[in-house]
Amino acid sequence: MQTRSIIRGKDIADYSVRNPQGEDLGTIKDVVIDTNEGRVAYAVLSFGGVLGFGDKLFAVPWEALRYNATDDTFVLDVPKERLENAPGFDKDNWPTTAERGWLTGMYSHYGYTPYWERRMER
């Protein structure tokens, strides 16, 4: 699997996301930038529902996604159950802040260290 080294934010929308077994986990709707840190805070994944109705949005650490050049998708190595139990948000009520407590909980849910803590470890 290749790693994509550069991609435009607007081009990420609607990329398919699968788990390593090839099961569909949804699509990327956007990426959220932490302007204070100059980092991608998370990707927004749309999961569930039918034809865009009833789907829920989830924040996923950008580091959790890997680009798969073979089928031009992203791979998220988490069980569907973990995604189904993840804290999500409504398409009309996106988080509007990079509040550390909320972000820490989201990163922890997926088993990742938040990007601002990794910066301090260097």
Side-chain angles (χ1 to χ4, degrees), residues 17-116:
V17 178
R18 301 187 186 331
N19 64 16
Q21 295 74 36
E23 297 174 307
D24 182 33
L25 295 179
T27 57
I28 295 176
K29 289 301 173 196
D30 212 337
V31 292
V32 175
I33 309 294
D34 180 336
T35 57
N36 292 328
E37 294 285 336
R39 300 280 310 260
V40 174
Y42 55 88
V44 178
L45 176 67
S46 175
F47 174 71
V50 178
L51 299 173
F53 296 101
D55 48 338
K56 192 173 179 183
L57 299 177
F58 298 91
V60 176
W62 181 247
E63 296 81 8
L65 295 164
R66 297 289 173 250
Y67 178 68
N68 182 347
T70 304
D71 59 4
D72 203 31
T73 62
F74 281 91
V75 175
L76 177 61
D77 192 5
V78 299
K80 272 188 171 182
E81 298 76 33
R82 179 171 290 177
L83 187 57
E84 290 169 346
N85 294 320
F89 52 94
D90 182 272
K91 67 180 181 173
D92 297 321
N93 191 22
W94 285 43
T96 58
T97 181
E99 199 277 317
R100 298 285 193 208
W102 183 84
L103 285 169
T104 298
M106 180 269 293
Y107 271 78
S108 176
H109 180 81
Y110 292 101
Y112 284 82
T113 301
Y115 55 89
W116 63 90

